[in-house]
Amino acid sequence: MTRGSTGRSGRRPGSPDTRGAILAAARECFAAKGFDATTVRAVAAAAGVDAALVHHYFGTKRSLYLAAVDLPIDPGPILERILDVPDDELGASIIRHIVPIWDSEIGKAAIAAVRATIAGPTPAAMSGMFTILVGTLSARVDVPAGTGVTRGSLVATQMIGLAMARHVIGVGPIASMSVDDLAALVGPTLQRYLTGELPNG
Amino acid sequence: MTRGSTGRSGRRPGSPDTRGAILAAARECFAAKGFDATTVRAVAAAAGVDAALVHHYFGTKRSLYLAAVDLPIDPGPILERILDVPDDELGASIIRHIVPIWDSEIGKAAIAAVRATIAGPTPAAMSGMFTILVGTLSARVDVPAGTGVTRGSLVATQMIGLAMARHVIGVGPIASMSVDDLAALVGPTLQRYLTGELPNG
C-alpha cells in the first residue's frame, strides 16, 4: 500500500466527506467495471485518497461494495440462516428464506431498483451481489471439488428467473403461489443443482 | 360484432394507414394492459375502426399481438420444432432450440429490447409472449389435467433466469457454457417441471 500521488488531494482523513467521496467513487467503479474488475486501489485513486484509508474505513472490497450499494438488508445474517440446515435441505431453505424477503416491502423496493439497472448499459453493479451470494453458496457445495461455482451459478439462474416471474413479469401461478408451494416445486431444482450428480460437473 | 360509433372515423377499410392505426392502437393497449386484459374490441375502439375489420386484417388476438410486437423471429415454427420430440425429451429440446436463438445476433437484439421494457413502469407487452409460449407448452404437458399452466410457468421461471444470467448479468460459467452442457445441466430441471410428479400440482 504505497501512497500514490492521488492520495494528496487535501481531504482530511477523518472528515465525513472523505467517507462520502470514497463511497461515490466506489459506486462509479462498481457500476462501470463490475465487482470482480474493481480494485480497492482503483476506488482510492478515483476518490483521491490512499488505498490504506479505504481499507481503514471499509475493510474488505466486499464490505466496501455492500456499503456502496447500500442494501436495505444485510445479506450476511440471511446467508447464515439459509446455510444453517443439513445439505439435503439447502434447496428448500433458499426458497423459504429468500422469497419472503422479495415479497416484503423492502424486497419490492430492491426489485424496483434492480429493474432500473437492467435497462442500463451494464448492470455491472449487480454483479457484486452475485459474486457474494453465489460465492458463499459455492464454497458450501463444492463437492466434488471444482463444481461449486457451477452449482451456485445454476442456483442463480433459477432464482433470478423466479424473482422476475413473481415480481416483474407476473407469470400467472408463480406470482400468487405460496412460499410452501414454491419450496415444494422449485426447491428440488435448487437441491439438484447444489448436491445432485452433475454431468461433467 | 356490432358496429360501434367508434367505427366511423372516416378511415377507408382498405387503406394502409388503417392497418397501421390498428397496429399502433394494439401496441398501446398491450403495453398498458397486457395480453390477457386486452380485447380485439378495445384495440378496434382505440384505432377508430370496427372490430370485424381488425379480425379481417389480423385474424386472432394472438396474431394481432405478434404483428404488433413485430418479432424478428416467428415463434410458431420454433415451437413446432421444440415440441416435435417424445415427452421425455422436451426439457433438453427447449434448451437446444431456444439457447442458440438467444446466442444469435437476432437474439441479442431481442434481449436488448426486453431489457429496455423491464425498466419501464410495466413490462406488460412481454406478457403476451409468455401467454403464447407457456400456453402452447402447457397444453402439451397438461397431465394430470389442470397442471399444465403451473408446469409451463415453472419452465418460464428457469428460462427467464437462464437468459438473464447468460446475456444480461453475465453469471460466470453460465455465460460461457456450451448448449450441450446447458442441455445436460438445465434440461432435467425443465423435464421435471414438464412431466415430473409435482407436489399438489
Side-chain angles (χ1 to χ4, degrees):
Chain A
M1 313 271 171
T2 58
R3 287 183 173 266
S5 60
T6 52
R8 298 303 184 194
S9 68
R11 283 203 184 88
R12 283 170 303 151
S15 75
D17 77 338
T18 303
R19 198 175 182 280
I22 292 168
L23 283 177
R27 274 181 212 112
E28 260 178 48
C29 290
F30 286 126
K33 295 190 281 186
F35 182 78
D36 292 336
T38 296
T39 62
V40 167
R41 184 174 300 257
V43 170
V49 302
D50 194 276
L53 192 63
V54 177
H55 285 293
H56 168 74
Y57 272 117
F58 296 102
T60 63
K61 180 168 85 168
R62 172 182 161 146
S63 311
L64 174 63
Y65 173 81
L66 290 175
V69 298
D70 193 22
L71 286 180
I73 299 175
D74 182 350
I78 297 164
L79 266 169
E80 270 178 41
R81 284 198 295 276
I82 288 173
L83 297 175
D84 189 26
V85 294
D87 279 356
D88 63 356
E89 294 172 24
L90 279 171
S93 180
I94 290 170
I95 298 285
R96 290 190 184 285
H97 284 93
I98 299 277
V99 174
I101 294 172
W102 291 343
D103 292 355
S104 71
E105 288 307 311
I106 285 174
K108 283 174 194 163
I111 285 168
V114 168
R115 280 172 67 165
T117 73
I118 288 171
T122 163
M126 289 170 63
S127 67
M129 194 48 56
F130 284 100
T131 302
I132 290 170
L133 293 174
V134 172
T136 306
L137 202 53
S138 297
R140 166 75 180 259
V141 295
D142 193 32
V143 180
T147 62
V149 173
T150 297
R151 293 180 183 282
S153 302
L154 287 166
V155 167
T157 69
Q158 176 62 87
M159 293 303 284
I160 293 164
L162 188 57
M164 294 282 298
R166 188 169 175 90
H167 287 291
V168 179
I169 298 166
V171 174
I174 305 300
S176 56
M177 203 173 273
S178 73
V179 173
D180 279 349
D181 284 349
L182 282 177
L185 289 167
V186 180
T189 295
L190 306 183
Q191 193 61 49
R192 172 175 163 270
Y193 289 157
L194 290 167
T195 60
E197 206 154 317
L198 299 184
N200 311 319
Chain B
M1 312 267 173
T2 57
R3 287 182 173 265
S5 60
T6 53
R8 301 298 186 195
S9 68
R11 284 205 185 86
R12 283 170 303 152
S15 76
D17 77 338
T18 302
R19 198 173 182 281
I22 293 169
L23 283 177
R27 274 183 211 109
E28 260 178 49
C29 290
F30 286 126
K33 294 191 284 186
F35 182 80
D36 292 336
T38 296
T39 61
V40 167
R41 184 173 298 258
V43 171
V49 302
D50 194 277
L53 192 63
V54 177
H55 285 294
H56 169 73
Y57 272 117
F58 296 101
T60 63
K61 180 167 85 166
R62 172 182 160 147
S63 310
L64 174 63
Y65 173 80
L66 290 175
V69 297
D70 193 21
L71 288 181
I73 298 176
D74 181 350
I78 297 163
L79 267 169
E80 270 179 39
R81 286 198 293 276
I82 288 173
L83 297 176
D84 189 26
V85 294
D87 279 356
D88 63 355
E89 294 172 21
L90 279 171
S93 180
I94 291 171
I95 298 286
R96 290 189 184 285
H97 284 93
I98 299 279
V99 175
I101 294 172
W102 291 343
D103 292 354
S104 71
E105 288 308 311
I106 284 174
K108 283 174 195 165
I111 285 169
V114 168
R115 280 172 68 167
T117 72
I118 287 171
T122 163
M126 289 171 62
S127 67
M129 194 49 55
F130 284 100
T131 302
I132 290 170
L133 293 174
V134 172
T136 306
L137 202 53
S138 297
R140 165 76 180 257
V141 296
D142 193 30
V143 180
T147 62
V149 173
T150 297
R151 293 180 184 282
S153 302
L154 286 166
V155 167
T157 69
Q158 176 63 87
M159 293 303 285
I160 293 164
L162 187 58
M164 295 282 297
R166 188 168 174 89
H167 287 291
V168 179
I169 299 167
V171 174
I174 305 299
S176 55
M177 202 174 275
S178 73
V179 174
D180 279 349
D181 284 350
L182 282 176
L185 289 166
V186 180
T189 295
L190 306 182
Q191 192 62 48
R192 172 175 164 270
Y193 289 156
L194 291 167
T195 60
E197 206 154 315
L198 299 185
N200 312 319

